[in-house]
Amino acid sequence: MNQLKYIFFIIYLFSIIHCAPLKAEKGHIQGRVFSLETNKPLPGASVRIERTAFGAIANKNGLFKIHSVKSGNYTLIVSLVGYKQKKIDITIPANDTVFIECFLEVQAIQTEDIIVSASKRVQLVQEVQVSVSTISSSELMDRNITKLDEVLGYIPGVSMNGDHISIRGSSGFAFGIGSRVILLLDGFPLLSGDIGDIKFDAMPIFDINRIEIIKGAGSSLYGTNALGGVINVITKEPLEQGIFKIRTFAGIYTKPTYEQWEYSKNLHKNWGFEAGYSKKINRFSLNASASYIEDESYLLYNDSRRYNIFSKMKYDFGNLLTIGISGSISSNDKADWVYWHSLDSATRPPSTTDQSIRINSDKYMLFADAVKIFDNNNFMTIKSGIYATYFKNTYPQSHTDYRQSDANAFNNELQYNSKLFREVLLTSGINYTYHDVKSHIYGNCYQYLLSLFEQMEYQPISSVTTTAGFRIDYEQSSSAKSHLEFSPKIGATYQLDSNHILRFSAGRGFRSASIAERFATVNFQGFKVIENPNLKSEVSWTFEIGGNSNVNLGFMNLSSDASIYYTRLFDLIEPTFIAPSYDIIFNNITNARIYGIELSTKGFVSGMFGFETALTLMEPKDLSKDETLKYRHQILWYNKILVPLDWLEIQFEYRYMSKVERIDEELKFQVKDYDARVPIHILDARFLLRGKAFNLPFNIAINTKNMLNYHYTYMVGNLAPTRYIGLQIETML
């Protein structure tokens, strides 16, 4: 182990030494960003210098400043949600200031985005070598999203299997344990240290600026759990003008279609409120938000109450050093059952369920990051923090169904970005993660990973960009064998012209078994889980060829993307049933392959309406059994139409997911009507009243989710949400 640490240190030291910054003459950039249509300033516009760490946010007057940039030729990327992105070539003089005026064109359908997650640096979405999707804060608010998992089903190629995120079929259903997608908050990992799962209610929805979804293996930069993809939740940057926002909402679940499903004469409510404040004062900036949500649910004994408090502070020390601290507290009190009584009683828990029992979960997050820019060729980022999760049910400790676990996940990372030449960018880093678990069901366990990553981006000519990188991870867990993981990656983009780009990528992903999968000993709703400390890591290889284009047809701007992908999966960890007791144990039992295509297009027609459609077709095959891979949809189809008027916007969204072909047949011994599953059709409608048309400081949204009240299961033996009608008011002061 000491030799391994020494090797990591030498390699990383070399990468820093050969990227040492040099002194150079510097200049400055100032400018303003306006709307092309109204000629008014655009506060909040992002201005970045391409292929560097330099950037700024326009203030309330649209003014931005970027200081101490080495003199030379650069490209500015200017962007703002709802406007077409713009690139500007500039020359920065030595010891002088260049002034820029930029006019952005309104764009109802968002077609261009800045991405930071794909290569851990700022770049255009069209230049990324893998498939990506983004979600803006306005899309979250329009849909009345209150929990992260609610929005993921709207992303092309993404589906939810219970609490598991499946990107292009990467994940099945594993009783909530272990995620094959890594979740980040501003680049900081937020997976629990015991179960290795995502706590969706821990995300500060009100403070989100955008969500970036990277599809395919991402372990070359992000390590374990990035087997199927990466989701990075990026929070807002405050403006100089202080903003106080409030959102309140209330809605009802309508009656179910079938009389035997009615368990109450009353309509059940879902309501809540959120408040947030943000302001930049000279060099200090602050974001803070709080939310409280109560959900009476569409199911009997499925209610929940939760709150979240989040804060982010940053201070610019003026010598190109910025330090930030973020923290959050969230809590959830909810009922404790999973499977229904039966299909005839789909809204009720099993008759043996003790409806006085609750499950309480608390999440605490605190991390700090420091960004030091040495010059426009070199900058360093340091992140360190803790993510603590605690849960228990209200059974007495002596009860066989008592469950409790306290887990602390510590994460530390140092990253160094450098430009060796104008054509070569280098990203280097080391990472140390430690999980400490004290649990009634997993025991007292630990797990740590020590990692090194390196990625080089080379641009031999302006139209071609190539990438090659790797990551080495050393993992050790309690009473389990240590092991090394080597995750390489290559990729390339070729720009045919300014509107057409081709891409290629290939990379390895892996996921180390979680502490829960290795050491769980628990009883829950008729099932008993037993430990298996000998689990190996899951491994994936993802290959993709794709491209995107932007075309102006005169009456319509059209943006399209297409990709063909192939994923090979080895040693997938699946819950298996042991006869005759049908206890559950996690085993490396599945080798699989998934290939498919993904097609998407969106546009705006003659200023009248916008549209978006995305189709994902996949063939998931379990090679171990020569059968269809369990818990996978083979067709995912997403559609959206919006009609913007002066003061009203109407939106319709339709999602289709084909019927899951295979599940665990052994579930029939514990779950009645376990095989009740159908294709999924979900139609949403919303009416958005924009107060700014009347100079009013608020917006009103009327949302109808699952408008047709279509009944389906989103996991075995569990009825998905029925029709919901809600009213939302959002105001900004």
Side-chain angles (χ1 to χ4, degrees):
M1 180 62 190
N2 290 331
Q3 291 179 343
L4 182 65
K5 291 181 180 179
Y6 179 75
I7 293 171
F8 278 10
F9 176 77
I10 293 298
I11 295 174
Y12 191 71
L13 183 63
F14 173 78
S15 71
I16 291 181
I17 291 174
H18 82 266
C19 300
L22 302 174
K23 294 184 178 180
E25 293 183 320
K26 298 178 180 180
H28 314 284
I29 308 171
Q30 289 190 21
R32 296 187 72 185
V33 185
F34 298 90
S35 167
L36 180 64
E37 286 75 15
T38 65
N39 208 36
K40 293 183 178 180
L42 293 178
S46 170
V47 184
R48 300 284 179 182
I49 302 179
E50 189 176 33
R51 298 169 70 85
T52 78
F54 287 88
I57 303 295
N59 66 14
K60 62 181 179 179
N61 299 313
L63 183 66
F64 67 89
K65 299 177 182 179
I66 304 176
H67 297 290
S68 303
V69 182
K70 180 183 175 182
S71 59
N73 298 320
Y74 297 94
T75 299
L76 286 183
I77 303 173
V78 186
S79 63
L80 181 65
V81 173
Y83 291 83
K84 188 174 182 180
Q85 198 174 86
K86 193 168 186 178
K87 279 189 172 186
I88 305 173
D89 294 325
I90 62 169
T91 298
I92 300 177
N95 304 314
D96 203 350
T97 299
V98 60
F99 189 85
I100 301 295
E101 282 192 347
C102 176
F103 292 84
L104 297 184
E105 181 183 352
V106 171
Q107 185 168 257
I109 293 289
Q110 190 173 345
T111 60
E112 294 179 298
D113 296 284
I114 291 286
I115 296 292
V116 300
S117 308
S119 296
K120 290 196 172 185
R121 71 169 186 86
V122 175
Q123 59 187 147
L124 294 177
V125 66
Q126 287 86 353
E127 299 169 351
V128 175
Q129 296 159 358
V130 296
S131 290
V132 300
S133 293
T134 61
I135 298 173
S136 67
S137 59
S138 60
E139 292 177 282
L140 295 173
M141 295 301 105
D142 289 348
R143 294 182 176 119
N144 189 25
I145 300 299
T146 63
K147 198 153 63 81
L148 183 64
D149 57 326
E150 296 173 1
V151 77
L152 297 179
Y154 294 91
I155 300 167
V158 179
S159 61
M160 297 296 300
N161 293 321
D163 291 332
H164 290 273
I165 305 170
S166 181
I167 297 180
R168 292 177 170 175
S170 61
S171 298
F173 171 67
F175 297 89
I177 297 178
S179 174
R180 292 179 182 143
V181 174
I182 189 170
L183 176 70
L184 311 168
L185 180 65
D186 290 329
F188 184 80
L190 285 188
L191 295 178
S192 63
D194 49 3
I195 302 176
D197 69 335
I198 296 173
K199 312 294 187 185
F200 295 104
D201 59 321
M203 289 292 102
I205 297 295
F206 212 47
D207 263 309
I208 292 176
N209 179 47
R210 70 182 185 277
I211 303 171
E212 300 179 356
I213 301 94
I214 312 300
K215 301 174 185 179
S219 293
S220 63
L221 282 178
Y222 292 100
T224 184
N225 293 94
L227 180 139
V230 177
I231 296 178
N232 192 9
V233 177
I234 299 171
T235 56
K236 298 175 182 176
E237 295 294 333
L239 304 177
E240 292 178 358
Q241 178 185 5
I243 297 176
F244 181 63
K245 294 179 64 176
I246 299 175
R247 178 173 71 150
T248 183
F249 66 90
I252 57 169
Y253 298 99
T254 62
K255 294 282 188 178
T257 302
Y258 307 107
E259 185 177 343
Q260 63 266 37
W261 286 5
E262 290 189 24
Y263 61 89
S264 172
K265 295 181 180 180
N266 300 322
L267 294 175
H268 297 278
K269 300 182 293 294
N270 178 22
W271 67 274
F273 66 87
E274 296 170 300
Y277 179 76
S278 65
K279 184 175 178 58
K280 184 176 182 181
I281 308 172
N282 298 322
R283 295 180 178 179
F284 176 76
S285 62
L286 168 69
N287 281 2
S289 66
S291 65
Y292 177 81
I293 297 165
E294 279 197 19
D295 187 359
E296 294 181 358
S297 184
Y298 56 98
L299 304 174
L300 174 65
Y301 178 53
N302 193 50
D303 61 296
S304 65
R305 295 180 294 275
R306 67 180 192 269
Y307 69 83
N308 180 286
I309 300 172
F310 173 79
S311 179
K312 179 176 77 171
M313 296 175 287
K314 282 188 177 182
Y315 188 80
D316 182 354
F317 285 86
N319 57 350
L320 301 180
L321 172 64
T322 303
I323 294 179
I325 299 176
S326 298
S328 72
I329 302 172
S330 56
S331 182
N332 194 358
D333 175 86
K334 62 180 182 178
D336 189 20
W337 69 279
V338 176
Y339 300 111
W340 60 28
H341 179 278
S342 64
L343 182 58
D344 281 340
S345 299
T347 57
R348 297 175 176 84
S351 56
T352 56
T353 302
D354 186 342
Q355 297 186 23
S356 68
I357 300 301
R358 311 288 296 178
I359 185 164
N360 309 119
S361 65
D362 299 312
K363 285 76 61 178
Y364 304 91
M365 180 271 294
L366 180 66
F367 74 88
D369 66 310
V371 179
K372 172 62 178 176
I373 301 175
F374 299 106
D375 56 31
N376 53 303
N377 290 332
N378 300 270
F379 70 94
M380 181 172 65
T381 304
I382 300 174
K383 296 179 181 179
S384 181
I386 178 175
Y387 179 49
T389 57
Y390 308 96
F391 78 84
K392 66 177 181 179
N393 61 20
T394 54
Y395 278 112
Q397 291 190 22
S398 58
H399 198 282
T400 56
D401 288 334
Y402 174 71
R403 307 195 312 282
Q404 167 274 330
S405 184
D406 299 345
N408 296 316
F410 301 90
N411 192 277
N412 305 277
E413 181 173 290
L414 187 152
Q415 178 183 321
Y416 196 96
N417 290 68
S418 58
K419 184 190 295 184
L420 299 185
F421 313 101
R422 182 170 177 80
E423 302 83 7
V424 179
L425 296 176
L426 193 66
T427 300
S428 312
I430 52 175
N431 181 276
Y432 178 70
T433 301
Y434 182 79
H435 298 158
D436 177 42
V437 177
K438 293 178 173 57
S439 171
H440 181 79
I441 50 181
Y442 313 131
N444 296 338
C445 306
Y446 72 87
Q447 180 183 42
Y448 69 81
L449 291 100
L450 179 64
S451 314
L452 174 145
F453 58 88
E454 190 91 34
Q455 177 173 288
M456 183 180 72
E457 184 178 306
Y458 176 53
Q459 191 174 40
I461 57 177
S462 60
S463 60
V464 175
T465 302
T466 62
T467 297
F470 69 90
R471 179 170 172 133
I472 300 173
D473 290 87
Y474 177 87
E475 192 254 354
Q476 175 70 65
S477 295
S478 302
S479 65
K481 292 182 179 179
S482 61
H483 66 279
L484 276 173
E485 298 290 345
F486 178 71
S487 304
K489 166 191 174 182
I490 59 171
T493 59
Y494 175 54
Q495 186 168 348
L496 300 174
D497 54 45
S498 59
N499 292 315
H500 300 85
I501 297 176
L502 301 177
R503 65 177 181 268
F504 161 78
S505 65
R508 183 181 187 269
F510 82 95
R511 184 180 75 87
S512 295
S514 68
I515 285 176
E517 288 167 311
R518 283 182 170 141
F519 305 112
T521 53
V522 60
N523 294 286
F524 182 58
Q525 203 159 326
F527 293 103
K528 180 181 179 181
V529 182
I530 58 179
E531 65 178 355
N532 181 7
N534 298 317
L535 284 173
K536 298 182 293 184
S537 293
E538 301 177 319
V539 174
S540 72
W541 282 93
T542 300
F543 305 87
E544 180 183 326
I545 298 174
N548 57 70
S549 67
N550 293 286
V551 179
N552 188 341
L553 301 178
F555 67 95
M556 176 173 60
N557 290 318
L558 196 64
S559 176
S560 301
D561 190 277
S563 60
I564 302 172
Y565 60 90
Y566 176 88
T567 301
R568 190 73 163 83
L569 301 157
F570 301 90
D571 296 320
L572 288 184
I573 300 172
E574 303 281 353
T576 56
F577 294 83
I578 306 172
S581 63
Y582 291 101
D583 293 339
I584 297 173
I585 187 170
F586 288 89
N587 274 317
N588 298 99
I589 61 170
T590 303
N591 292 327
R593 62 108 178 99
I594 303 172
Y595 62 81
I597 61 173
E598 191 166 288
L599 308 170
S600 66
T601 187
K602 49 188 171 182
F604 200 76
V605 180
S606 298
M608 295 185 297
F609 70 92
F611 69 91
E612 181 177 355
T613 183
L615 177 66
T616 304
L617 304 174
M618 69 183 84
E619 184 65 30
K621 187 69 172 291
D622 184 339
L623 300 177
S624 304
K625 298 182 177 180
D626 194 28
E627 296 176 327
T628 300
L629 201 57
K630 290 184 290 188
Y631 300 105
R632 267 74 172 183
H633 303 282
Q634 294 179 274
I635 303 174
L636 302 173
W637 188 26
Y638 167 78
N639 300 271
K640 180 178 182 179
I641 293 177
L642 65 86
V643 181
L645 305 173
D646 289 340
W647 55 274
L648 173 67
E649 185 172 304
I650 304 171
Q651 297 182 5
F652 293 95
E653 287 182 300
Y654 168 71
R655 291 172 286 158
Y656 169 79
M657 286 162 273
S658 61
K659 179 181 174 180
V660 169
E661 288 191 14
R662 290 185 60 236
I663 61 174
D664 290 302
E665 294 297 324
E666 293 85 353
L667 287 168
K668 63 186 176 183
F669 296 106
Q670 295 292 343
V671 183
K672 293 181 180 179
D673 302 309
Y674 75 104
D675 199 26
R677 59 188 192 276
V678 294
I680 298 173
H681 303 268
I682 308 172
L683 178 64
D684 298 342
R686 64 188 63 93
F687 301 88
L688 310 172
L689 285 73
R690 308 298 191 187
K692 66 180 181 180
F694 304 99
N695 294 318
L696 298 174
F698 61 82
N699 297 320
I700 297 175
I702 301 172
N703 267 281
T704 303
K705 301 180 181 181
N706 192 7
M707 187 169 67
L708 302 180
N709 205 24
Y710 182 80
H711 298 304
Y712 64 97
T713 56
Y714 70 96
M715 58 177 283
V716 174
N718 201 301
L719 186 68
T722 55
R723 183 193 295 121
Y724 171 81
I725 302 173
L727 173 67
Q728 170 186 289
I729 300 175
E730 180 186 6
T731 184
M732 182 184 302
L733 304 175

